[in-house]
Amino acid sequence: MFIGHWAPALVAAAHPKAPKLWTLFIGAQLVDWVFFAFVLGGIEHMRLAPGTSVMNPMDLYHMPYTHSLVGSMGWAAGFAAIIFALTKNRTTALIGGAVVLSHWFLDLIVHVPDLTLWGTPPKLGFGLWDHPQIAMPLELGLTFGALLFYIVRTRGTSTSARIAIGLLSLLLLTVQMINWFGPPPSEPDFAAALVVFAVFGMMALLAMWVGRTRAIRTI
């Protein structure tokens, strides 16, 4: 899953006590931020192996610290602790932590068995990457359904609100199409990680703009 990871961030952002949307966008992909940093540092490992799954040529064979359930819980707890330290609001912190943890469960749906509970086998994954006719509409439905939910539960507070939402929608769709149909990286190296970090950073910055142009609707 790629843009689908931002779906929980969009849903959570409609809560009155949620962290800022850009914070939730970082949280939604936090374990992947860390994973690619760990790959560069030789702490976790992946390799390109076409045929690993129909939709993804990456063999994610060693990622115990980011993509185990226990590891994800640790990153979620750390993220929540930072938010609590900054806001002193327990609900805000719990929402942020829950968005981080959602990453593992969404990955569980699409990954071939490469996730773990605590870093060692059994390896888990329902394998929808081998069924693109299901995985593709599911990811688009989750993401844009969540975006619609966010739009309905918020209101524009700026003349640029519609532009910001439009650009977010366009960028989400564009990066997903590139992820699905663009050429894979030749090697999981620094250049590939830099592209991932650039995309994640760009999405967070755009989410910051969107969040600044909208407010939660009062019922």
Side-chain angles (χ1 to χ4, degrees), residues 153-185:
R153 294 295 298 271
T154 59
R155 57 180 177 82
T157 60
S158 166
T159 55
S160 62
R162 290 186 178 181
I163 298 174
I165 280 289
L167 285 176
L168 179 63
S169 303
L170 180 60
L171 187 57
L172 284 168
L173 185 60
T174 299
V175 298
Q176 187 60 72
M177 292 302 105
I178 293 172
N179 176 257
W180 281 339
F181 304 116

Side-chain angles (χ1 to χ4, degrees), residues 9-125:
L10 289 161
V11 172
H15 191 285
K17 293 186 178 181
K20 301 292 187 181
L21 181 61
W22 68 269
T23 304
L24 292 171
F25 261 52
I26 291 175
Q29 294 283 15
L30 179 63
V31 296
D32 276 350
W33 281 92
V34 180
F35 169 68
F36 282 100
F38 278 8
V39 168
L40 292 178
I43 300 170
E44 293 189 323
H45 303 88
M46 60 172 283
R47 58 194 166 209
L48 290 176
T52 298
S53 69
V54 171
M55 295 180 65
N56 193 334
M58 294 187 296
D59 180 10
L60 307 169
Y61 65 95
H62 181 254
M63 45 184 189
Y65 308 114
T66 57
H67 286 73
S68 66
L69 179 57
V70 171
S72 295
M73 290 172 66
W75 295 110
F79 194 71
I82 292 172
I83 293 174
F84 183 76
L86 295 173
T87 66
K88 307 303 180 186
N89 190 300
R90 184 174 299 177
T91 300
T92 304
L94 288 174
I95 291 172
V99 168
V100 174
L101 187 58
S102 71
H103 190 107
W104 190 89
F105 290 98
L106 288 173
D107 273 352
L108 181 66
I109 297 170
V110 296
H111 277 228
V112 294
D114 52 28
L115 305 173
T116 62
L117 294 177
W118 46 77
T120 58
K123 292 197 172 184
L124 309 172

Side-chain angles (χ1 to χ4, degrees), residues 3-4 7 134-148 180:
I3 64 169
I134 300 174
M136 288 181 172
L138 175 64
E139 184 144 18
L140 293 177
L142 280 174
T143 306
F144 288 98
L147 180 60
L148 179 61
W180 281 339

Side-chain angles (χ1 to χ4, degrees), residues 6 107 117 131 152 170 218:
W6 286 303
D107 273 352
L117 294 177
H131 304 279
V152 169
L170 180 60
T218 55

